[in-house]
Amino acid sequence: MGHGNQLPWRSVIFYSSEDQFSRTQQQFVDLWSNVTESLTSSHGNLIPWYSVSTFDDVRDCKVSHYISEMMHMVENDKVPDDSDYGPCVEYILQNEVLSTLQRHAQNDIPMGMRPIVLSFFSQLLQNQFPW
């Protein structure tokens, strides 16, 4: 990759067709899958916000990195002419991404999750409503 930990799609997202919209959204879905896998117990269930997780600190997993990459994609998301939102924000709104993050931030599980989620929410709002 040549640029440290940057993922290959870490660039401005342009698309001129429905196919590119789908590819962009799939890249975002893959990142979200990484987040949920990082927050998943060894039994295959998403660790509930009220349980003790398998790790004590968000630094023990890559959640912060994945959420940062998700935010980068949202910041560079291009809205097609026939839509109100780009593919990343559309996925966030349709798939309970915000509520899942909120549940983990509510009790700061894993520890350090709250500031990561608050930063994500803040950046999302600033990006979507820059006024």
Side-chain angles (χ1 to χ4, degrees), residues 59-83:
R59 293 174 294 188
D60 295 338
C61 63
K62 294 185 176 184
V63 170
S64 177
H65 172 74
Y66 297 138
I67 291 174
S68 175
E69 288 297 323
M70 288 170 55
M71 193 62 243
H72 182 78
M73 288 190 73
V74 167
E75 289 170 348
N76 294 295
D77 213 4
K78 299 298 176 198
V79 180
D81 294 335
D82 62 342
S83 178

Short mmCIF file of all heavy atoms in Angstrom, two decimals, residues 59-83:
data_model
loop_
_atom_site.label_atom_id
_atom_site.label_comp_id
_atom_site.label_asym_id
_atom_site.label_seq_id
_atom_site.Cartn_x
_atom_site.Cartn_y
_atom_site.Cartn_z
N ARG A 59 -8.51 0.29 22.71
CA ARG A 59 -7.19 0.19 22.08
C ARG A 59 -6.76 -1.26 21.88
O ARG A 59 -5.82 -1.54 21.16
CB ARG A 59 -6.15 0.93 22.91
CG ARG A 59 -6.38 2.45 22.91
CD ARG A 59 -5.44 3.13 23.84
NE ARG A 59 -5.78 2.71 25.20
CZ ARG A 59 -5.26 3.22 26.29
NH1 ARG A 59 -4.36 4.15 26.21
NH2 ARG A 59 -5.63 2.79 27.48
N ASP A 60 -7.47 -2.22 22.52
CA ASP A 60 -7.15 -3.63 22.36
C ASP A 60 -7.74 -4.21 21.08
O ASP A 60 -7.55 -5.39 20.80
CB ASP A 60 -7.67 -4.44 23.56
CG ASP A 60 -6.98 -4.06 24.86
OD1 ASP A 60 -5.85 -3.52 24.79
OD2 ASP A 60 -7.56 -4.30 25.92
N CYS A 61 -8.46 -3.41 20.33
CA CYS A 61 -9.02 -3.86 19.06
C CYS A 61 -8.85 -2.74 18.05
O CYS A 61 -8.30 -1.69 18.37
CB CYS A 61 -10.49 -4.25 19.22
SG CYS A 61 -11.54 -2.88 19.71
N LYS A 62 -9.31 -2.93 16.84
CA LYS A 62 -9.11 -1.95 15.78
C LYS A 62 -10.35 -1.10 15.52
O LYS A 62 -10.45 -0.46 14.48
CB LYS A 62 -8.69 -2.66 14.50
CG LYS A 62 -7.33 -3.30 14.60
CD LYS A 62 -6.91 -3.88 13.28
CE LYS A 62 -5.51 -4.44 13.37
NZ LYS A 62 -5.04 -4.91 12.08
N VAL A 63 -11.28 -1.07 16.46
CA VAL A 63 -12.52 -0.33 16.26
C VAL A 63 -12.26 1.13 15.92
O VAL A 63 -12.86 1.68 14.99
CB VAL A 63 -13.44 -0.45 17.50
CG1 VAL A 63 -14.62 0.48 17.41
CG2 VAL A 63 -13.91 -1.88 17.68
N SER A 64 -11.38 1.75 16.65
CA SER A 64 -11.09 3.16 16.42
C SER A 64 -10.61 3.40 14.99
O SER A 64 -11.04 4.34 14.33
CB SER A 64 -10.04 3.64 17.43
OG SER A 64 -9.68 4.97 17.18
N HIS A 65 -9.74 2.55 14.52
CA HIS A 65 -9.22 2.67 13.15
C HIS A 65 -10.34 2.50 12.12
O HIS A 65 -10.45 3.29 11.18
CB HIS A 65 -8.12 1.63 12.92
CG HIS A 65 -7.67 1.54 11.51
ND1 HIS A 65 -6.88 2.50 10.92
CD2 HIS A 65 -7.92 0.62 10.55
CE1 HIS A 65 -6.66 2.17 9.67
NE2 HIS A 65 -7.27 1.04 9.41
N TYR A 66 -11.18 1.50 12.33
CA TYR A 66 -12.27 1.25 11.37
C TYR A 66 -13.25 2.42 11.34
O TYR A 66 -13.70 2.84 10.27
CB TYR A 66 -13.01 -0.04 11.70
CG TYR A 66 -12.16 -1.28 11.61
CD1 TYR A 66 -12.25 -2.28 12.58
CD2 TYR A 66 -11.25 -1.48 10.58
CE1 TYR A 66 -11.48 -3.43 12.51
CE2 TYR A 66 -10.48 -2.62 10.50
CZ TYR A 66 -10.59 -3.59 11.47
OH TYR A 66 -9.83 -4.73 11.40
N ILE A 67 -13.60 2.93 12.51
CA ILE A 67 -14.54 4.06 12.58
C ILE A 67 -13.93 5.30 11.93
O ILE A 67 -14.61 6.05 11.24
CB ILE A 67 -15.01 4.30 14.02
CG1 ILE A 67 -15.89 3.12 14.48
CG2 ILE A 67 -15.77 5.62 14.14
CD1 ILE A 67 -16.29 3.17 15.94
N SER A 68 -12.65 5.50 12.13
CA SER A 68 -11.96 6.62 11.49
C SER A 68 -12.00 6.48 9.96
O SER A 68 -12.25 7.46 9.25
CB SER A 68 -10.51 6.67 11.98
OG SER A 68 -9.78 7.65 11.30
N GLU A 69 -11.79 5.29 9.45
CA GLU A 69 -11.86 5.06 8.02
C GLU A 69 -13.30 5.26 7.50
O GLU A 69 -13.49 5.80 6.41
CB GLU A 69 -11.37 3.65 7.66
CG GLU A 69 -9.88 3.49 7.81
CD GLU A 69 -9.07 4.37 6.87
OE1 GLU A 69 -9.49 4.59 5.71
OE2 GLU A 69 -8.02 4.87 7.30
N MET A 70 -14.29 4.84 8.29
CA MET A 70 -15.68 5.07 7.91
C MET A 70 -15.95 6.56 7.78
O MET A 70 -16.59 7.02 6.83
CB MET A 70 -16.63 4.44 8.93
CG MET A 70 -16.68 2.93 8.88
SD MET A 70 -17.58 2.20 10.29
CE MET A 70 -19.16 3.01 10.19
N MET A 71 -15.45 7.34 8.75
CA MET A 71 -15.67 8.78 8.73
C MET A 71 -14.98 9.41 7.53
O MET A 71 -15.54 10.30 6.88
CB MET A 71 -15.18 9.42 10.03
CG MET A 71 -15.65 10.84 10.21
SD MET A 71 -17.44 10.98 10.32
CE MET A 71 -17.81 11.97 8.89
N HIS A 72 -13.82 8.94 7.21
CA HIS A 72 -13.12 9.46 6.03
C HIS A 72 -13.96 9.21 4.77
O HIS A 72 -14.07 10.09 3.91
CB HIS A 72 -11.74 8.82 5.88
CG HIS A 72 -10.97 9.35 4.73
ND1 HIS A 72 -10.32 10.57 4.75
CD2 HIS A 72 -10.77 8.85 3.49
CE1 HIS A 72 -9.75 10.79 3.58
NE2 HIS A 72 -10.01 9.76 2.80
N MET A 73 -14.55 8.04 4.68
CA MET A 73 -15.40 7.74 3.52
C MET A 73 -16.62 8.66 3.49
O MET A 73 -17.01 9.14 2.43
CB MET A 73 -15.82 6.27 3.53
CG MET A 73 -14.69 5.33 3.17
SD MET A 73 -15.26 3.66 2.90
CE MET A 73 -16.06 3.84 1.30
N VAL A 74 -17.23 8.92 4.66
CA VAL A 74 -18.39 9.81 4.72
C VAL A 74 -18.00 11.22 4.28
O VAL A 74 -18.73 11.87 3.52
CB VAL A 74 -19.00 9.82 6.14
CG1 VAL A 74 -20.00 10.95 6.30
CG2 VAL A 74 -19.66 8.48 6.45
N GLU A 75 -16.85 11.70 4.75
CA GLU A 75 -16.40 13.05 4.40
C GLU A 75 -16.20 13.20 2.90
O GLU A 75 -16.36 14.29 2.36
CB GLU A 75 -15.09 13.37 5.13
CG GLU A 75 -15.29 13.59 6.62
CD GLU A 75 -13.96 13.67 7.37
OE1 GLU A 75 -12.90 13.33 6.79
OE2 GLU A 75 -14.00 14.03 8.55
N ASN A 76 -15.82 12.14 2.23
CA ASN A 76 -15.55 12.19 0.79
C ASN A 76 -16.67 11.60 -0.05
O ASN A 76 -16.51 11.44 -1.26
CB ASN A 76 -14.22 11.48 0.50
CG ASN A 76 -13.07 12.23 1.11
OD1 ASN A 76 -12.78 13.34 0.72
ND2 ASN A 76 -12.45 11.65 2.11
N ASP A 77 -17.76 11.27 0.59
CA ASP A 77 -18.92 10.69 -0.08
C ASP A 77 -19.51 11.71 -1.05
O ASP A 77 -19.74 12.86 -0.69
CB ASP A 77 -19.97 10.35 0.99
CG ASP A 77 -20.79 9.14 0.68
OD1 ASP A 77 -20.53 8.48 -0.34
OD2 ASP A 77 -21.68 8.83 1.48
N LYS A 78 -19.76 11.30 -2.25
CA LYS A 78 -20.36 12.18 -3.26
C LYS A 78 -21.82 11.78 -3.47
O LYS A 78 -22.13 10.61 -3.68
CB LYS A 78 -19.61 12.08 -4.58
CG LYS A 78 -18.16 12.50 -4.47
CD LYS A 78 -18.05 13.95 -4.06
CE LYS A 78 -16.60 14.35 -3.86
NZ LYS A 78 -16.42 15.54 -3.10
N VAL A 79 -22.68 12.75 -3.37
CA VAL A 79 -24.11 12.51 -3.49
C VAL A 79 -24.51 12.51 -4.96
O VAL A 79 -24.25 13.47 -5.68
CB VAL A 79 -24.91 13.59 -2.73
CG1 VAL A 79 -26.40 13.36 -2.86
CG2 VAL A 79 -24.48 13.65 -1.28
N PRO A 80 -25.14 11.42 -5.41
CA PRO A 80 -25.60 11.40 -6.80
C PRO A 80 -26.75 12.39 -7.00
O PRO A 80 -27.42 12.79 -6.05
CB PRO A 80 -26.06 9.96 -7.01
CG PRO A 80 -26.28 9.40 -5.66
CD PRO A 80 -25.43 10.18 -4.70
N ASP A 81 -26.97 12.79 -8.22
CA ASP A 81 -27.99 13.78 -8.53
C ASP A 81 -29.40 13.37 -8.09
O ASP A 81 -30.21 14.21 -7.76
CB ASP A 81 -28.01 14.08 -10.03
CG ASP A 81 -26.73 14.77 -10.48
OD1 ASP A 81 -26.08 15.43 -9.64
OD2 ASP A 81 -26.37 14.62 -11.66
N ASP A 82 -29.67 12.07 -8.09
CA ASP A 82 -31.02 11.60 -7.78
C ASP A 82 -31.20 11.18 -6.32
O ASP A 82 -32.13 10.47 -5.99
CB ASP A 82 -31.38 10.44 -8.71
CG ASP A 82 -30.46 9.24 -8.52
OD1 ASP A 82 -29.36 9.41 -7.94
OD2 ASP A 82 -30.83 8.14 -8.96
N SER A 83 -30.33 11.64 -5.41
CA SER A 83 -30.40 11.21 -4.03
C SER A 83 -30.08 12.37 -3.09
O SER A 83 -29.46 13.36 -3.48
CB SER A 83 -29.39 10.08 -3.79
OG SER A 83 -29.40 9.66 -2.45
#
